[in-house]
Amino acid sequence: MPVDTSPEKAIYVLETGDFQTLLDAVMERGHSIFGPVLRDGAITYDALHRDTDLPLGWNDRQQAGSYRLVKTKRKTFFAYAVGPHSWKKFLHPPSDMLCAAQRIDDRFSINEPDREHPRRAFLGVRSCELHALAIHDKIFTDGPFINEAYRRRRQDILIIAVNCSHPSETCFCTSLQTGPRATGGFDLALTEVLTSGNHHFIIETGSAAGAELCARLPVRKAARTDIEAAEKVTSAAAKKIRRSLNTEELRETLDQKFSDPHWGQIADRCLACGNCTMVCPTCFCSTVEDTTTLTGEHAERRLKWDSCFTAEFSYIHGGSIRSSTLSRYRQWLTHKLAYWFDQFGMCGCVGCGRCITWCPAGIDLTEETRKLQEKKFVIRRTNGR
Amino acid sequence: METTHTDARPAAAGGNPWLSRPYLVRKKSRETADTFTLELTPPAEDGGFIFKPGQFNMLYTFGIGEIPISISGDPAKPETLTHTVRAVGAVSRAIAGLKPGSRLGIRGPYGAGWPVTDITGRDVVIIAGGIGLAPLRPAVHYLLAHRGEYGKIILVYGARTPADIVHRKDLEKWRSRFDIEVLVTVDRATGDWQGNVGVVTTFIGGLRFDPSSCAALVCGPEIMMRFTVMGLRERQVADNSIFISMERNMKCGVGLCGHCQVGPSFVCKDGPVYRLTDMKDVFIKREM
Amino acid sequence: MEDLSRFLKDHPFTAGLNKKHLDLLVGCASNVVFKAGEFLFHEGDDADLFYLIREGKVIIETYAPQKGPIAIQTRGAGEVTGWSWMVPPYKWHFDARAVELTKALALDGKCLRGKCEKDHDLGYILMQRVSSLIAQRLEATRLQLLDIYGNNTH
């Protein structure tokens, strides 16, 4: 077994026929595996045990407002881009118990739920998603207050990244330097290499845990030609990406264009459905839902995903701060692309393209941002007072 | 340098920030038809409730929900936690319905308060509207307790009608002092009201203070604050000497839920008290 | 006279006027004192005299038969009681009543109108100040109408 003594950065080759050995080794290490599976006509993330649980031989075709699966001739493993799910559903679940309260006469006690402490492995994490994870890590675990449930779920995740070979038409990671090749934040990173004669994975280790896993696999050390072939896969992927987002002076530009009439044109198309916020891997807003049992003795508080596209989101007794669709779309976009820099020192968008694909109106934030950037500064129309 | 952020926060590291603790409702008094002041006793093991004027707590009523409410008591009396609540929604109505002896869930204190320690030596102009007096009440207590450290202290308070005036006893007590000027006005005079009539903003022009060395603390409905800011600017008060307290929807109180975002900040952790220079946009930009 | 001139220089409504104009104003001015409860003027009266308040408090009010007096706004030191003396038909629209001992400078509006007619520079300056006063009143009235305290819970 070709094991490096300095394992942090070793590169191996694993034949596709041996892929199950990787899954077995991960499970033996005590992790339950979550990765891409075919569900409801889309590639989603769920539990898997066998390599055959993966969407073998499937491609996706994505466009603004459209997602289709297509069968391929060869039994590819990861020949698709990201689907409607993101990893946030595991770490920051759509509904999560915060605390429970128990009433005894006129008193009550508030208790923390027993926290699950799962050992999980995420398989097939894309580079853009690693960046999204880093953003959530920053938001939830770096401030004076932390989301403790997130921290506990996050701490033992084993990450097996996959470098993109088939970016979708809605992807734009290259312009944000978030892909298509994973550069860090993983235990292992795979590149699926498929040529006329070969079909194997190039595995790059990114941590001691990753190296330890490789030591238990029937791998061979990658030759220079293997590494070059893998690099070709990601560089070819990068060339396929057509959309882009120019972040240069974007914060200032969006600040200036706060009253631009173009927001109204976007709002005319926007249904304020909130799909973009649900599929976005970095959107993190939540609300709290209170429920009581019929006897009124037991109450629960649950954290639920919320969307800045709803009227209730900015509600304070009597009305919403942001009552128009225009103001809500503007809130969403400017938070991600402008104020995120102020709050977290980074861009809130990773270029995964989900919001474009899953928008029922096909609104493309790269296109709308470009239009705002290209327009000359419009002097704010003042209404008489 | 901004030093208004509290060092009185609960231990931040670790722990579930959404967990509140049940406080005993010791006393409830009626301020107006729909506004009540509750005096709460912290659990004995907490050894009192330390906060800074202008900070808020999240108040939880069993099974109904949670709302952010400013602390309205005297910061020098940590044995009592005081909140003034107006019954306008499901949770605030439930809080208003609590009887002495019952429990209210509390977590906090959160947010940045009034910069009382940063404005020593200056004249202090406090302008409050409606129930906006409640978050300023701890600041008045603090300023009067440290009276020698400040120049003139002026409090201008506006309410809708005489029946809507909150903290009436305090206002009377403060008015009888010679070291604070108190001006109370109502939008609509009713009954035998002999005091001032007119919106608070109309009185700014006549106040006697030093605009070049003052701090203005403003709290009330956003429209009232906007017009008050205009009035202060007319008096040549600089934007960086004006402090306002913002109100936004809050679900977590600790910067994790996104609800109270306004431009580059979260009101719950960067506010609710802001220096006007940091919040200017909100006064210009609609629906931000 | 010296005292009147100094007061006019200090009062916000007349501050900044040049000596010539101040002298013209002094010619139309006199010191007055009202006890609590005394009326400065009544609704419908000719708006000939108006007042720059030096001390005290005046309430602008109207009277409704079944309701009694309805207060509209209070005026204190540094303020002016009204602007009807400058705008036709030169009639007061409300009552003005002192609620405490009030010292003021009464200016003869009718006399001033005559002087403004002769000296348009003075007329322009006073019109500017009166229109600014009207704008302030309008803004205050709008705010009162907005009933802004109805929607706030801190």
Side-chain angles (χ1 to χ4, degrees):
Chain A
M1 195 96 36
V3 181
D4 224 318
T5 42
S6 58
E8 287 290 312
K9 192 83 179 174
I11 303 175
Y12 304 105
V13 177
L14 178 73
E15 293 303 324
T16 44
D18 293 327
F19 195 76
Q20 184 61 38
T21 61
L22 171 62
L23 301 188
D24 291 341
V26 170
M27 288 186 282
E28 274 163 31
R29 223 172 158 266
H31 297 274
S32 45
I33 304 175
F34 293 83
V37 293
L38 219 56
R39 288 260 192 294
D40 305 324
I43 291 164
T44 62
Y45 295 143
D46 215 332
L48 59 86
H49 305 91
R50 307 284 314 161
D51 55 1
T52 49
D53 294 337
L54 290 163
L56 301 177
W58 287 97
N59 278 168
D60 54 6
R61 297 273 183 278
Q62 302 193 31
Q63 283 171 27
S66 153
Y67 181 96
R68 296 278 177 279
L69 291 178
V70 184
K71 196 89 184 115
T72 59
K73 289 194 189 87
R74 298 189 64 175
K75 231 182 174 182
T76 49
F77 281 59
F78 297 103
Y80 38 82
V82 292
H85 286 189
S86 68
W87 304 101
K88 79 174 175 184
K89 74 167 188 168
F90 299 110
L91 300 172
H92 175 50
S95 175
D96 199 13
M97 172 98 131
L98 290 172
C99 54
Q102 195 71 35
R103 171 149 63 189
I104 314 117
D105 303 324
D106 61 346
R107 292 165 177 250
F108 63 89
S109 60
I110 299 164
N111 307 303
E112 199 166 7
D114 290 334
R115 289 279 171 213
E116 51 173 334
H117 191 142
R119 262 169 90 83
R120 285 171 169 164
F122 291 169
L123 169 68
V125 183
R126 306 308 175 110
S127 179
C128 59
E129 299 186 304
L130 291 171
H131 284 86
L133 282 174
I135 288 174
H136 275 189
D137 289 349
K138 170 103 184 158
I139 293 169
F140 289 138
T141 64
D142 199 38
F145 294 96
I146 64 167
N147 182 333
E148 174 62 12
Y150 176 94
R151 191 191 65 78
R152 289 199 200 183
R153 292 194 181 100
R154 177 75 175 90
Q155 62 188 357
D156 286 327
I157 304 283
L158 184 88
I159 292 180
I160 304 169
V162 166
N163 288 320
C164 280
S165 55
H166 289 67
S168 84
E169 235 184 75
T170 55
C171 289
F172 55 101
C173 62
T174 40
S175 58
L176 294 168
Q177 288 88 49
T178 52
R181 187 190 161 87
T183 53
F186 53 79
D187 295 288
L188 293 175
L190 315 180
T191 309
E192 185 175 6
V193 177
L194 179 69
T195 56
S196 48
N198 284 324
H199 190 191
H200 57 235
F201 291 99
I202 304 300
I203 306 188
E204 185 187 331
T205 60
S207 72
E212 212 180 282
L213 273 171
C214 282
R216 302 161 69 178
L217 303 180
V219 292
R220 66 175 165 86
K221 201 155 191 175
R224 198 189 162 87
T225 48
D226 295 319
I227 296 168
E228 280 169 6
E231 278 166 2
K232 231 184 205 166
V233 170
T234 45
S235 59
K239 284 196 192 97
K240 285 186 217 159
I241 293 173
R242 297 211 174 73
R243 279 181 163 85
S244 67
L245 187 71
N246 177 7
T247 52
E248 201 185 324
E249 289 183 17
L250 185 52
R251 196 210 168 290
E252 292 72 23
T253 306
L254 289 173
D255 224 21
Q256 274 176 5
K257 304 286 171 73
F258 185 85
S259 301
D260 195 289
H262 186 65
W263 294 111
Q265 288 163 29
I266 307 171
D268 287 344
R269 298 165 61 205
C270 175
L271 306 172
C273 67
N275 264 17
C276 49
T277 58
M278 297 295 113
V279 296
C280 177
T282 70
C283 271
F284 63 92
C285 289
S286 61
T287 186
V288 177
E289 197 178 83
D290 289 273
T291 51
T292 36
T293 53
L294 280 176
T295 59
E297 284 164 356
H298 184 76
E300 274 183 19
R301 313 205 71 219
R302 298 192 76 86
L303 190 84
K304 297 215 155 180
W305 283 1
D306 203 357
S307 170
C308 52
F309 281 90
T310 68
E312 296 75 33
F313 188 82
S314 61
Y315 182 91
I316 37 176
H317 52 87
S320 286
I321 304 281
R322 289 182 282 271
S323 53
S324 65
T325 300
L326 181 159
S327 66
R328 293 182 215 153
Y329 186 88
R330 182 176 59 199
Q331 157 66 18
W332 177 72
L333 189 133
T334 55
H335 188 203
K336 263 193 197 316
L337 303 184
Y339 301 123
W340 212 284
F341 287 101
D342 297 295
Q343 295 182 313
F344 309 111
M346 45 170 85
C347 183
C349 175
V350 295
C352 72
R354 285 181 178 92
C355 60
I356 306 172
T357 301
W358 297 96
C359 174
I363 298 172
D364 175 349
L365 95 160
T366 64
E367 194 53 38
E368 303 308 337
T369 304
R370 188 180 347 276
K371 281 179 187 156
L372 285 161
Q373 284 170 317
E374 281 166 2
K375 288 184 84 168
K376 291 221 165 61
F377 178 58
V378 178
I379 293 165
R380 192 180 301 123
R381 229 181 300 151
T382 50
N383 298 322
R385 58 166 221 115
Chain B
M1 198 182 77
E2 190 62 84
T3 54
T4 53
H5 281 267
T6 176
D7 47 23
R9 285 174 195 276
N16 178 344
W18 280 274
L19 282 184
S20 55
R21 296 168 57 69
Y23 277 43
L24 173 74
V25 179
R26 196 179 62 218
K27 193 178 156 198
K28 185 173 82 172
S29 43
R30 182 184 281 271
E31 297 283 346
T32 72
D34 60 359
T35 305
F36 299 84
T37 293
L38 275 76
E39 289 181 19
L40 311 167
T41 306
E45 61 271 27
D46 285 14
F49 190 91
I50 310 289
F51 71 99
K52 287 194 164 184
Q55 287 193 298
F56 71 95
N57 280 328
M58 296 298 292
L59 272 57
Y60 169 70
T61 48
F62 181 86
I64 297 173
E66 205 177 32
I67 48 169
I69 300 283
S70 294
I71 302 162
S72 63
D74 186 344
K77 292 176 181 157
E79 65 279 9
T80 302
L81 171 63
T82 308
H83 281 289
T84 302
V85 181
R86 184 163 165 218
V88 286
V91 182
S92 54
R93 270 195 290 270
I95 294 171
L98 290 174
K99 292 186 177 69
S102 51
R103 299 292 193 283
L104 183 62
I106 297 286
R107 56 188 180 92
Y110 296 131
W114 303 106
V116 286
T117 53
D118 299 349
I119 56 173
T120 48
R122 302 200 226 168
D123 288 353
V124 185
V125 182
I126 300 160
I127 303 178
I131 198 174
L133 181 59
L136 279 162
R137 190 170 168 248
V140 177
H141 278 298
Y142 182 92
L143 296 173
L144 292 178
H146 300 79
R147 186 63 192 88
E149 296 169 26
Y150 303 91
K152 275 189 179 174
I153 300 177
I154 303 173
L155 168 65
V156 184
Y157 174 55
R160 190 166 168 256
T161 71
D164 294 306
I165 293 172
V166 297
H167 301 301
R168 196 180 282 267
K169 272 187 200 152
D170 287 312
L171 290 166
E172 279 162 16
K173 201 167 62 198
W174 295 333
R175 194 159 29 195
S176 69
R177 292 176 66 132
F178 293 103
D179 54 0
I180 174 170
E181 190 181 323
V182 178
L183 196 156
V184 179
T185 180
V186 295
D187 278 14
R188 270 154 235 227
T190 49
D192 56 356
W193 176 254
Q194 288 298 311
N196 297 300
V197 183
V199 290
V200 275
T201 52
T202 53
F203 294 90
I204 297 169
L207 301 177
R208 285 181 209 142
F209 62 95
D210 179 1
S212 66
S213 173
C214 76
L217 316 182
V218 185
C219 185
E222 217 161 295
I223 302 177
M224 170 258 171
M225 293 201 289
R226 286 209 295 264
F227 281 91
T228 300
V229 163
M230 282 190 233
L232 290 166
R233 282 174 175 164
E234 269 172 47
R235 291 293 307 271
Q236 310 302 322
V237 177
D239 283 1
N240 64 10
S241 297
I242 302 175
F243 298 84
I244 53 167
S245 180
M246 294 289 298
E247 192 187 15
R248 283 292 181 274
N249 189 355
M250 293 176 195
K251 293 289 179 191
C252 73
V254 294
L256 297 173
C257 81
H259 277 262
C260 65
Q261 187 215 331
V262 179
S265 76
F266 288 125
V267 174
C268 68
K269 74 182 173 80
D270 305 312
V273 175
Y274 289 92
R275 196 185 285 271
L276 182 61
T277 25
D278 299 327
M279 238 325 133
K280 251 182 198 165
D281 282 352
V282 173
F283 284 103
I284 308 163
K285 295 177 175 176
R286 270 186 192 206
E287 293 191 89
M288 186 161 184
Chain C
M1 288 300 265
E2 186 50 35
D3 175 53
L4 290 184
S5 163
R6 197 180 327 124
F7 171 73
L8 286 170
K9 266 187 214 157
D10 290 344
H11 195 280
F13 185 74
T14 43
L17 291 180
N18 65 28
K19 182 154 188 326
K20 182 184 149 203
H21 291 152
L22 276 179
D23 290 344
L24 283 174
L25 256 65
V26 169
C28 301
S30 57
N31 260 317
V32 285
V33 178
F34 296 95
K35 288 199 230 53
E38 279 186 323
F39 283 85
L40 283 71
F41 51 75
H42 282 98
E43 187 175 338
D45 285 355
D46 288 336
D48 285 345
L49 286 179
F50 71 101
Y51 303 91
L52 310 186
I53 304 170
R54 321 177 65 163
E55 266 178 59
K57 189 154 79 184
V58 172
I59 194 147
I60 308 295
E61 63 187 16
T62 190
Y63 189 85
Q66 279 89 21
K67 286 178 156 177
I70 299 167
I72 294 160
Q73 265 181 11
T74 37
R75 304 259 176 278
E79 295 189 288
V80 188
T81 52
W83 44 267
S84 297
W85 58 275
M86 188 58 139
V87 182
Y90 314 117
K91 301 275 186 200
W92 293 118
H93 295 82
F94 296 104
D95 297 336
R97 179 172 54 89
V99 282
E100 51 190 64
L101 185 74
T102 300
K103 293 182 182 170
L105 198 70
L107 281 164
D108 184 339
K110 199 173 177 183
C111 152
L112 266 185
R113 288 201 296 270
K115 288 183 176 169
C116 290
E117 208 49 65
K118 281 188 203 126
D119 180 345
H120 282 192
D121 282 354
L122 175 67
Y124 178 69
I125 291 168
L126 288 183
M127 193 56 106
Q128 256 188 332
R129 292 178 185 213
V130 166
S131 48
S132 143
L133 189 66
I134 297 172
Q136 282 168 27
R137 300 284 153 86
L138 177 62
E139 182 183 300
T141 307
R142 282 176 170 173
L143 284 175
Q144 271 171 314
L145 285 173
L146 282 170
D147 197 13
I148 49 179
Y149 303 123
N151 260 328
N152 167 38
T153 51
H154 256 282

